[in-house]
Amino acid sequence: MADTDISMNEREVSTISAKEYGLPDEEIVAEIPIYLTHRIAKNLHLLQYPQRASHARPGELNPSVARFKPIHGQIEMDIQLDVASPMYNKERGRDLGVGLSDNGRILDIQTLVSVNIPKSSNYMAGAFRDGALHLTPIEKITQLRPSLKYLDRVAEKELAASKLDNDDDDDEDGKKEMKAQTIQVTVRSAQAEEALRQQQNSISYLQQKLEEEPWSKLSYYDVGSEESSMVSSKLVARHTDNLVCKTSPDEFLTAIIGSIEPDVL
């Protein structure tokens, strides 16, 4: 796709009064040209961290490992835990570390896994440079939440150990007479069985395809790095010539933010 940069016509913008939008009729102190660019729109994702502290600042995440499945769009990040902190429970960490490995490792990382969020509105990334606002549409919104797979592995190992103990008990009591048991049989219709089978096959198939896709290693660059600055520079439109606008300012703003008519009670 060719790079397309669109600017609002400054002459048209200047004829709009604040009162027309239901705002106080105050003096307009500045007019800011707006440019729309698609230079990196296809690769621009918004990552949200709903369970992290709201006061966390850029640079505090610093994952030790980041990986990506491009076909399914899944992202994982390993965040190092501060096991030296007096708030860290080392005994519990050793118990949960069984879910990471069998060599006595403690739980020293938190894995964040991506959950895709349906787009309910249009999001854009803005860069303010030289008195102009440059907007880039955001392709995808993803939330990163803690993965609890290590708990599943702990439960599996505990179940396997319990089963082994039960097998030993069964061998000792194998000569005991087995008691009769009542069995309840549930009969489903052929249509219900087929629907259930298709649902299970669909879910298991998608999960299997997701598990089969190999991880691709990602390099993580935080705000302030040279790599981050290089990508950020692509949020600025290369061409800033005014284009002939085929829509009115009202139609242009409505296309971006929705209806601009004031609510009527």
Side-chain angles (χ1 to χ4, degrees), residues 53-149:
S54 59
H55 57 75
R57 290 178 287 182
E60 295 183 0
L61 189 63
N62 194 24
S64 58
V65 177
R67 45 193 174 268
F68 179 54
K69 291 188 176 184
I71 296 177
H72 291 85
Q74 190 174 53
I75 301 172
E76 279 191 358
M77 294 183 184
D78 291 342
I79 311 299
Q80 206 71 29
L81 297 178
D82 183 9
V83 298
S85 169
M87 302 300 293
Y88 182 83
N89 188 330
K90 289 188 170 68
E91 183 178 351
R92 186 57 177 160
R94 280 190 290 270
D95 293 340
L96 297 178
V98 176
L100 298 180
S101 68
D102 295 321
N103 59 5
R105 177 182 178 183
I106 65 173
L107 184 68
D108 57 352
I109 61 170
Q110 180 187 56
T111 298
L112 301 180
V113 63
S114 62
V115 178
N116 293 333
I117 304 299
K119 292 176 66 175
S120 58
S121 58
N122 295 322
Y123 284 78
M124 293 189 176
F128 194 75
R129 298 286 175 84
D130 300 326
L133 179 61
H134 302 257
L135 300 178
T136 300
I138 292 176
E139 174 69 16
K140 192 174 183 180
I141 303 172
T142 299
Q143 289 189 353
L144 289 169
R145 298 176 176 271
S147 171
L148 303 179
K149 285 185 178 180

Side-chain angles (χ1 to χ4, degrees), residues 156-171:
E156 290 172 1
K157 291 180 179 180
E158 291 178 348
L159 181 62
S162 176
K163 184 178 180 182
L164 184 61
D165 292 339
N166 290 335
D167 289 343
D168 292 340
D169 293 340
D170 290 342
D171 290 341

Side-chain angles (χ1 to χ4, degrees), residues 6-13 241-253:
I6 304 174
S7 65
M8 294 186 65
N9 189 293
E10 295 182 20
R11 185 165 55 85
E12 291 183 348
V13 173
D241 297 333
N242 285 335
L243 304 180
V244 177
C245 188
K246 296 182 178 180
T247 59
S248 68
D250 286 0
E251 292 171 334
F252 180 81
L253 292 174

Side-chain angles (χ1 to χ4, degrees), residues 9 51 62 78-79 146 164 198 201 204 229 255 261-262:
N9 189 293
Q51 295 183 325
N62 194 24
D78 291 342
I79 311 299
L164 184 61
Q198 290 182 358
N201 287 345
S204 60
S229 299
E261 294 294 331

Side-chain angles (χ1 to χ4, degrees), residues 169-223:
D169 293 340
D170 290 342
D171 290 341
E172 294 177 1
D173 301 335
K175 296 181 180 180
K176 292 183 179 179
E177 182 181 355
M178 298 190 61
K179 297 181 180 179
Q181 296 180 355
T182 302
I183 300 176
Q184 182 178 358
V185 179
T186 302
V187 180
R188 294 191 183 95
S189 66
Q191 294 85 349
E193 287 285 355
E194 178 63 18
L196 179 61
R197 185 185 64 81
Q198 290 182 358
Q199 181 183 18
Q200 292 175 338
N201 287 345
S202 175
I203 296 174
S204 60
Y205 175 78
L206 293 176
Q207 185 64 29
Q208 179 183 356
K209 298 301 290 183
L210 174 61
E211 296 293 338
E212 288 177 352
E213 183 183 357
W215 287 105
S216 299
K217 186 177 179 180
L218 282 179
S219 297
Y220 182 88
Y221 302 106
D222 214 326
V223 176

